[in-house]
Amino acid sequence: GTLDGTQPRDRPTVSCGVFGETSGRVGGRVVIDIEALLTTYLNAETDERIVGEIPSDTGSAWVKVTLLDGRDQTRPADYLTNFLVQFDCYAGTNGPTGQGEAQAIAADVRGFLLAMPSETFVDAVVTNVVVRGPRRIPDTEFKPARQRFILEAEIDVHS
């Protein structure tokens, strides 16, 4: 879906990906690859580059997705997983323009994350999303420092 009420654009089927055995099941359940799910979903919904690592071309904006933690919420059944994921939203330029660009990207990503419980995914059901941020923390690994806003999301998902 879209956040502005317009018709959703054509997009590929969003699959969650799986870890573990070739069948995608570990101990009788599908184990969700949350980074693959989020990268595929956000690439389909936004106009931004959604990546798992800093791209070689940093001349245009991008969002880096990083899994920080995942914990089972329904022991001993191991049914629902709560993932903590970080989204680093980078501007393609620096200065005031870059700050506004990074902030706008973070706002878009936040909106699409919050819409996830109403979306349909292959092999995954997102039941809840809580987003913290954005926090403006320029990345000082770049010279000069690159404008960046950081979001963290807790995402409850089961197969």
Side-chain angles (χ1 to χ4, degrees), residues 43-151:
N43 270 317
E45 294 296 330
T46 71
D47 293 327
E48 306 306 331
R49 287 187 299 166
I50 313 296
V51 297
E53 59 187 40
I54 293 176
S56 58
D57 171 17
T58 60
S60 60
W62 76 93
V63 177
K64 186 177 109 178
V65 178
T66 307
L67 173 62
L68 300 177
D69 194 17
R71 66 177 191 265
D72 298 320
Q73 296 292 91
T74 51
R75 288 194 176 100
D78 204 22
Y79 172 70
L80 180 67
T81 303
N82 173 266
F83 291 102
L84 178 60
V85 182
Q86 180 171 308
F87 300 85
D88 294 83
C89 303
Y90 286 88
T93 60
N94 282 316
T97 302
Q99 183 175 338
E101 179 184 27
Q103 187 174 22
I105 293 166
D108 284 348
V109 169
R110 179 184 181 88
F112 283 112
L113 290 171
L114 293 172
M116 286 183 78
S118 64
E119 295 286 344
T120 301
F121 301 99
V122 175
D123 292 332
V125 177
V126 176
T127 59
N128 190 47
V129 176
V130 176
V131 180
R132 286 186 228 117
R135 294 175 288 140
R136 182 170 123 8
I137 304 175
D139 189 337
T140 57
E141 294 295 315
F142 289 90
K143 300 299 179 214
R146 181 61 60 100
Q147 293 296 325
R148 168 182 66 172
F149 278 75
I150 298 174
L151 300 168

